[in-house]
Amino acid sequence: MSAAIRPSPLAPALALRRFVRCRSCIAGKPLRKQLSGLTAAVEDPWSALGRNNRIVDVSGLADQMRQEVRDYTGQLQLQQRRPIRLAGIFATQAMTESQRVEAEVYATHISQTLQEDGLAYEHVECRGSQPADVDAAIQKMNQRSDVHGILVYYPIFKNMRHQHNRPRQYLNASTGVYYKSCDDYLRDRVHPAKDVEGLGHGYNSRYHFRARARRGDHSNIYVPCTALAVARILETYHPLEHHPNGNAWKDVTVTVVNRSEIFGRPLAAMLALKGAHVFSVDENSILKFCPNGRMKRLSHLDHHQHPQAVSLEWCLQQSNIAVTGVPSPQFSLPLDALLAEKSSSSDTAVTIVNVSEFDNVMEEDVLERPDDDNITFIPSVGKVTVAALEHNLLNLHKQQQQQPHY
């Protein structure tokens, strides 16, 4: 069934707000306080600066990326070739009500956006409630030559762990370790040639970070769309210096507050491969991703007689970019730590990106900072996220043209 999805009548405004802000909605605007002066222009992403030139709407960048997609699909139409198709696999009966509502809203916006840009979207409904039912739908899409990308709406079985008598099918053949959840298992069931978010364990961010750093080959890396979107946003809106060796990220230090497999970890790996030093912070630990492909767990710093514990605040003090994606309304990024000792230098630019559906950073707090704080704040990334999804889909299509058996 290739058509726009009917959103559930139960979908609350909160679910819409969450996905409009941080994951999807090209057509709509975030349901948040809109600041005067937020505009978008395809030819100039920086025209979207708000009051005090601090709050940035990324619509301009999203429009640029979507125009590239339209140019590509327009050429296919002129050649009378079949459209590029994304299959969205939706496990209604296996989801909780809140999971289903949020996935429906996300899927609706993806469907609308892809159709506007000349891409085909097919909604695939899993009628069963077991992992095998979702797996069967994935395998069916793997076999179809007219499907170029597969997107499974997670979480589905996030809390379903195998404790006893686990079937051998849930043993990861490459690692010899059982998958932590059925969702992890299903991610590896999507064929790599059609994995639009690059979530397979054999080629995800963990693998690429070490393998690509060793080989010095950073091409053809597929990462989840939110991580890719944030990277594109930083390249566009954070002032990067041009070094003689061409590594614009050489002197950049980033703190990413989130280490999920679909956002925080792949973003940290991607930026480190570009040359940045990245602190990856979650509630249990702090890791440092280094440009040489190494990763270190940080616990404390030994400054001779004055050991200092490594904390989120310490990481922010070292950073000129902070990306936060904490899924909690109680969390607030400590701006004072991030901006400490940076106000005295007009050359020190600080960029903050909020990926969470919640206000990890309040716009009012950014606007109230002293005038000599050189801050750029991106409060939402959703529009660029779906554009990044489209770009991943186009790249899969291009590769499949070279391997026509997929």
Side-chain angles (χ1 to χ4, degrees), residues 367-384:
L367 293 172
E368 290 173 359
R369 299 294 304 186
D371 291 340
D372 54 355
D373 282 351
N374 189 2
I375 311 172
T376 299
F377 177 44
I378 293 92
S380 62
V381 302
K383 296 180 180 182
V384 181

Side-chain angles (χ1 to χ4, degrees), residues 87 89 134-135 137-139 141-142 148-152 154 183-201 203 396:
I89 297 179
V134 183
D135 190 12
I138 292 173
Q139 298 314 311
M141 295 301 105
N142 280 341
H148 305 95
I150 298 172
L151 176 67
V152 182
Y154 299 109
D183 282 5
D184 284 341
Y185 165 74
L186 292 171
R187 289 185 179 100
D188 276 355
R189 299 296 288 164
V190 177
H191 194 285
K194 297 187 178 184
D195 187 358
V196 76
E197 291 232 68
L199 294 176
H201 291 78
Y203 48 87
L396 290 177

